[in-house]
Amino acid sequence: MKFSEYDPGEFYDELYEGKGQPRPGSTLLLRKFASLPEGELKKRQEAAERVILNMGMTFGIHGGDDGHEQIFPFDIVPRVVVASDWERIESGLRQRMRALNLFIDDVYHDQTILKNGVIPSELIFSGKGFLLPCMGLNPPRGIWCHVAGIDLVRISDGQYYVLEDNTRCPSGVAYVLEARQVMKRTFPELFEAYRVRPVDGYPSQLLETLRSLSDLPDPTVVILTPGIFNSAYYEHSLLAHKMGVELVEANDLAVVDGSVHMRTTKGSQRVDVIYRRINDDYLDPLAFRHDSILGVPGLMEAYKRGRVALANAPGTGVSDDKAIYAYLPKIINYYLAEEPILPNVPTYLCSDRQDRTYVLEHLDQLVVKATNEAGGYGMMIGPHASKQEREDCARRIEADPRNYIAQPTLALSRVPTLVEDHLEGRHVDLRPYVLYGRDVYVLPGGMTRVALRKGSLVVNSSQGGGNKDTWVLS
Amino acid sequence: MLSRVASSIYWLNRYIERAENYARFIEVNVNLTLDLPRGTTEQWEPLVATTGDHESFTSRYGKATKENVTQFLSADVANPNSILSCLLAARENARSVREVISSDMWEQVNRFYLMVRDAVSQGLSSRNLHTFLADVKANSHLFLGITDATMSHGEGWHFARLGRLLERADKTSRILDVKYFMLLPTVTEVGTPFDIIQWSALLKSASALEMYYTRFGRISPDDVTAFLILDSTFPRAIRYCLIKSEDSLHAISGSEHGSYQNQAEKRLGRLRAELDFGDLEDCVTGGLHEFLDQFQAQLNRVGEAISETFFAPRPIHSIITGAETQ
């Protein structure tokens, strides 16, 4: 395989400056690849896939009758982030995490940001993420969102932009931890040569963050999962394992005398902090969706009385709304009196008449997203869509304008990816993870999602995206 | 430990042990047929009879041929106890407690399942059947070794051992029972070389041949029966299984030996005492088959009591906060 022949083309490439020219941080890596005997890279890719299969790292709803499962698609060419780039990302994420939390706390208390006309009130109250029962709640230290996954993209100008804020139950960090393990087994010699910042500290940082929500010297922390049929179950289990805490399902919990207990072989045991991986409207059938079988009756009442702490707090969905995302630069300005370090992607709100007119006239150039969907659902990529799909999209927008935003189609950066026996550029994004306990912590790394199909811009794992290791250099 | 987690660890181990014993069942017969004198017909019916799934087999397969029985016991997903079904169930249980067991244990369950799945999908023939059965046994032993070497010998480990040894006690009793179903050509053949062959095949499938020889030297039906039921040091003997199960039960609840805190301890204690203070006479007087049948029923009641004591989702009772009464 001749690496000198790799052509980044018209896109920003994370490893190459130009044809056959590695970027400063990638020289060593690419030289190593080039020195491998013919076919060796493919062999290592296959070896990595075997490791993933044996680890049982699978994605999505598992287990048909025949037990055929999708192993998580993984590509062994890593993405490299140089230290100076990472510094900027990290400070941008800290800033954003603080602003998001000040905003959520304000929304559920005095709503000064609405009174001062920075954000139109109806935008908040019409969002699915706004939960009336959360008005007036006071989570410990006023922090609502303790775990966030902030999606970043890089485009032709080499600048990182924030694409969306996942502040409800962001997933994917397990793949960051496992991808690193797989890479260490696959290219031990590279880790000796490179100074890649480790990611293994995440579980203990997460545990510290969760423990900080309780005043007790040794609080009982648990992870609440919807169960083995949830597509992120693998992650819930892995985090519980690495933190040494119980992984519980709703049936294991009950509210007794106002506090939460779990059923054990020796009777019941009180629970102090719950890292919930269930959406807030399913948490408690008494407070939210009455049909939820995943929730714990009475949990909200216990939470309101401060008898149990929840991470993330119910109600954080208000900032997970793509229409609110459009206001994030203003939100940062309003609460912190700072300019955003990481810019937003220009966004058109279909609820705004002027924006809507523009969107409907330029559907062939824009990406349209539903404001409250995750996982790449409800997305329409104009330039790749058929006339019929665009017309359907226009109809949906007109029927429910509040539910849609649009953004220009971005020329996402690319990373070389192994195709058969050679490298081709594939589009990527990056999801770093941010924790907020006593202080804001940013994991030095993140999930680099890659659109494995040639030319595709959809990186979501639920839509056939894959994964790469992300090397933050020190 | 969460009740649900304890239950999953217990069942994970029961299923792995069950898969191993089904491999042993089939092996008894494979061993036998290789040694049969010319002109005798192979007997596959007893095998199905002893598993207790006779009805389901007959309704779906009809005739008990080697192919049918092998398929039913190893590869049939409609048979909840087949080797493949056991591995599917074991894996689901393991998956739901991944955070509690060691990752080595999870990987072994996963590899074991993949091995069975692949072998079954390629089809089991006489040629590869022996290898498959040996692989099932080896994988089960590997899982056991990994469990012992990588899991803290605390509550979870005791639930694991409890599940495994109760399952094993039941299955050893059924392996012994196979003999009852094996109809000898004529009564006069009892004690003949052919009879001896059958008893040796039995010992072999319980991996007991060498240990038995060390103790008794020659094959006699009485000694074989006594060894598999009453020996307290051979790990596949029924009494051994009960002794260690009881140890685990007491380790879990923290109660003293010779006392009981719950129905599970009471029932298991009585059953073990029966064997402790019993001899071969007690086992065979009313007929060996009848004895084993009754034993299996009592063992089931132990299992039910364990489930009610530790696993059943009981309502959490209000915690009385000692209010002072004047």
Side-chain angles (χ1 to χ4, degrees):
Chain A
M1 180 159 24
K2 292 200 176 59
F3 291 91
S4 53
E5 288 175 6
Y6 179 88
D7 188 355
E10 74 220 66
F11 297 100
Y12 186 96
D13 193 283
E14 299 286 346
L15 300 190
Y16 279 93
E17 264 170 353
K19 189 174 174 188
Q21 284 182 298
R23 292 188 180 280
S26 326
T27 316
L28 204 57
L29 171 78
L30 294 167
R31 196 182 301 149
K32 168 76 200 170
F33 280 4
S35 72
L36 293 173
E38 190 69 35
E40 176 68 14
L41 210 50
K42 192 166 191 290
K43 266 200 207 126
R44 294 209 190 187
Q45 170 73 35
E46 285 161 2
E49 284 170 3
R50 267 199 307 280
V51 170
I52 292 170
L53 183 67
N54 280 338
M55 281 178 167
M57 256 178 90
T58 50
F59 174 78
I61 307 296
H62 75 274
D65 275 355
D66 59 349
H68 274 296
E69 287 169 41
Q70 279 276 262
I71 69 159
F72 200 75
F74 179 74
D75 180 78
I76 56 168
V77 186
R79 176 217 205 110
V80 178
V81 184
V82 294
S84 56
D85 277 351
W86 188 254
E87 252 166 68
R88 188 177 172 76
I89 290 173
E90 187 170 339
S91 53
L93 293 174
R94 284 171 188 280
Q95 176 194 53
R96 209 167 170 101
M97 191 68 165
R98 289 207 171 86
L100 281 164
N101 273 286
L102 291 165
F103 165 70
I104 301 169
D105 201 48
D106 187 18
V107 164
Y108 290 114
H109 288 96
D110 301 339
Q111 304 184 336
T112 60
I113 197 164
L114 308 184
K115 289 170 187 158
N116 290 323
V118 181
I119 298 181
S121 302
E122 65 271 17
L123 203 60
I124 299 284
F125 302 134
S126 62
K128 290 185 192 129
F130 174 76
L131 298 179
L132 204 54
C134 295
M135 282 305 293
L137 289 187
N138 293 302
R141 289 191 303 283
I143 299 163
W144 293 67
C145 176
H146 312 88
V147 186
I150 313 274
D151 292 347
L152 307 177
V153 294
R154 200 178 206 182
I155 55 180
S156 313
D157 60 3
Q159 163 80 276
Y160 283 99
Y161 291 80
V162 176
L163 190 62
E164 57 184 59
D165 304 290
N166 298 286
T167 57
R168 284 177 293 191
C169 299
S171 66
V173 77
Y175 298 122
V176 176
L177 304 177
E178 299 285 75
R180 179 60 53 85
Q181 266 206 40
V182 172
M183 287 300 278
K184 280 183 183 168
R185 288 200 208 180
T186 314
F187 292 108
E189 67 274 44
L190 273 173
F191 284 88
E192 283 163 20
Y194 262 88
R195 284 187 305 161
V196 180
R197 293 182 61 183
V199 292
D200 308 336
Y202 181 83
S204 60
Q205 284 286 348
L206 176 59
L207 185 58
E208 278 317 301
T209 303
L210 296 167
R211 289 169 63 102
S212 77
L213 300 185
S214 166
D215 296 330
L216 297 168
D218 192 15
T220 300
V221 177
V222 301
I223 297 183
L224 175 60
T225 174
I228 59 174
F229 296 104
N230 182 273
S231 63
Y233 179 77
Y234 175 78
E235 171 162 315
H236 308 161
S237 163
L238 179 121
L239 290 174
H241 192 66
K242 293 200 182 277
M243 293 198 289
V245 304
E246 294 284 8
L247 179 65
V248 304
E249 295 173 14
N251 285 335
D252 301 326
L253 298 180
V255 177
V256 183
D257 298 345
S259 38
V260 180
H261 292 259
M262 57 182 170
R263 291 189 179 86
T264 78
T265 51
K266 293 195 168 54
S268 74
Q269 187 189 338
R270 185 164 166 181
V271 172
D272 306 304
V273 182
I274 302 176
Y275 176 33
R276 50 110 183 173
R277 295 296 299 260
I278 294 180
N279 278 342
D280 32 25
D281 47 350
Y282 284 97
L283 272 178
D284 179 352
L286 300 182
F288 306 112
R289 291 184 58 147
H290 303 313
D291 61 345
S292 171
I293 51 163
L294 303 173
V296 184
L299 179 61
M300 260 318 264
E301 193 52 40
Y303 175 68
K304 281 181 186 167
R305 293 175 176 213
R307 307 288 284 275
V308 70
L310 292 171
N312 290 334
T316 52
V318 73
S319 60
D320 201 313
D321 183 315
K322 294 183 179 67
I324 299 298
Y325 156 89
Y327 284 89
L328 241 288
K330 287 183 178 169
I331 289 173
I332 291 172
N333 246 307
Y334 179 79
Y335 294 108
L336 303 175
E338 293 170 9
E339 286 306 306
I341 297 168
L342 294 170
N344 256 24
V345 173
T347 302
Y348 304 95
L349 295 177
C350 295
S351 53
D352 175 285
R353 190 143 40 96
Q354 249 180 320
D355 277 9
R356 183 164 67 243
T357 309
Y358 177 87
V359 170
L360 291 170
E361 282 169 3
H362 298 86
L363 276 179
D364 58 334
Q365 299 163 26
L366 299 171
V367 174
V368 177
K369 296 176 180 172
T371 52
N372 217 316
E373 297 286 350
Y377 293 101
M379 200 155 82
M380 198 275 318
I381 301 178
H384 299 178
S386 66
K387 189 165 178 295
Q388 181 65 46
E389 283 167 334
R390 287 200 294 273
E391 282 169 6
D392 289 345
C393 182
R395 255 197 304 281
R396 281 200 302 273
I397 291 174
E398 281 160 346
D400 185 7
R402 166 63 178 87
N403 197 31
Y404 293 94
I405 57 132
Q407 292 165 336
T409 307
L410 302 171
L412 301 184
S413 66
R414 300 201 310 189
V415 178
T417 299
L418 193 63
V419 179
E420 307 289 338
D421 62 341
H422 63 285
L423 298 182
E424 288 182 17
R426 289 289 184 268
H427 297 291
V428 296
D429 76 350
L430 173 61
R431 176 180 292 183
Y433 295 87
V434 191
L435 299 176
Y436 196 174
R438 297 200 185 278
D439 199 5
V440 179
Y441 165 84
V442 181
L443 177 69
M447 182 165 61
T448 289
R449 297 185 297 181
V450 51
L452 293 170
R453 275 188 304 121
K454 199 183 182 108
S456 168
L457 291 168
V458 187
V459 297
N460 306 75
S461 38
S462 49
Q463 317 278 320
N467 213 330
K468 285 171 172 286
D469 195 9
T470 309
W471 292 4
V472 174
L473 305 184
S474 52
Chain B
M1 166 166 279
L2 287 174
S3 300
R4 177 178 52 82
V5 168
S7 161
S8 290
I9 293 177
Y10 171 89
W11 282 106
L12 157 63
N13 282 274
R14 275 202 89 132
Y15 280 120
I16 296 276
E17 182 70 28
R18 189 169 298 176
E20 181 189 332
N21 281 289
Y22 269 54
R24 292 178 182 277
F25 284 156
I26 301 169
E27 250 187 339
V28 180
N29 247 35
V30 172
N31 280 335
L32 270 176
T33 50
L34 294 179
D35 291 332
L36 280 182
R38 275 170 189 280
T40 34
T41 44
E42 292 185 16
Q43 297 183 49
W44 289 92
E45 194 81 30
L47 217 53
V48 182
T50 192
T51 59
D53 295 319
H54 203 255
E55 260 173 63
S56 129
F57 175 84
T58 315
S59 69
R60 293 186 30 247
Y61 291 83
K63 199 168 167 354
T65 63
K66 180 180 179 179
E67 286 68 30
N68 283 349
V69 173
T70 306
Q71 170 71 19
F72 177 70
L73 296 182
S74 50
D76 189 342
V77 281
N79 172 11
N81 296 320
S82 72
I83 294 175
L84 181 57
S85 296
C86 283
L87 264 300
L88 276 165
R91 187 164 177 248
E92 287 314 295
N93 277 296
R95 188 198 298 280
S96 73
V97 293
R98 269 185 78 166
E99 75 288 355
V100 184
I101 59 178
S102 70
S103 48
D104 293 325
M105 285 165 73
W106 161 253
E107 284 191 29
Q108 173 53 23
V109 175
N110 209 32
R111 272 195 304 267
F112 192 173
Y113 159 76
L114 292 171
M115 182 284 286
V116 170
R117 187 194 72 184
D118 293 347
V120 161
S121 67
Q122 285 158 17
L124 297 170
S125 64
S126 291
R127 205 172 39 81
N128 61 17
L129 182 62
H130 185 76
T131 313
F132 170 70
L133 299 175
D135 282 350
V136 170
K137 282 191 341 192
N139 268 289
S140 169
H141 289 168
L142 191 51
F143 176 74
L144 171 57
I146 288 171
T147 301
D148 274 358
T150 63
M151 188 180 191
S152 300
H153 289 204
E155 195 180 353
W157 182 86
H158 282 293
F159 274 111
R161 187 167 73 160
L162 191 59
R164 186 169 54 245
L165 294 186
L166 291 181
E167 179 70 24
R168 188 182 294 170
D170 176 82
K171 293 300 174 284
T172 296
S173 78
R174 290 176 194 273
I175 286 178
L176 200 50
D177 212 16
V178 170
K179 179 65 189 140
Y180 169 85
F181 287 100
M182 293 252 177
L183 299 170
L184 285 168
T186 62
V187 176
T188 54
E189 296 210 35
V190 174
T192 63
F194 182 38
D195 192 30
I196 300 296
I197 285 174
Q198 289 194 356
W199 286 104
S200 324
L202 250 165
L203 281 171
K204 212 172 148 116
S205 68
S207 297
L209 201 56
E210 295 79 8
M211 296 303 132
Y212 174 87
Y213 276 135
T214 311
R215 244 194 89 176
F216 297 100
R218 37 190 297 281
I219 302 269
S220 95
D222 282 355
D223 288 344
V224 173
T225 308
F227 183 66
L228 288 182
I229 297 176
L230 299 172
D231 195 274
S232 63
T233 56
F234 179 63
R236 305 200 71 82
I238 293 173
R239 188 170 152 222
Y240 172 94
C241 292
L242 296 192
I243 292 170
K244 296 296 177 190
S245 299
E246 201 188 16
D247 288 351
S248 281
L249 212 43
H250 285 293
I252 289 163
S253 67
S255 59
E256 293 291 319
H257 273 284
S259 69
Y260 65 88
Q261 276 189 359
N262 53 55
Q263 280 299 312
E265 285 176 347
K266 183 178 167 186
R267 289 177 189 173
L268 183 55
R270 288 175 70 163
L271 195 53
R272 179 193 48 80
E274 246 176 73
L275 296 189
D276 279 353
F277 301 102
D279 57 17
L280 182 68
E281 198 75 21
D282 302 315
C283 302
V284 298
T285 307
L288 178 62
H289 170 68
E290 286 68 20
F291 171 83
L292 294 171
D293 224 27
Q294 206 200 352
F295 169 77
Q296 286 157 16
Q298 284 172 301
L299 203 59
N300 278 341
R301 299 203 47 212
V302 172
E304 283 160 18
I306 286 171
S307 182
E308 280 160 26
T309 307
F310 300 107
F311 306 154
R314 301 185 301 282
I316 297 179
H317 296 297
S318 182
I319 298 129
I320 310 293
T321 44
E324 297 214 357
T325 46
Q326 302 271 292

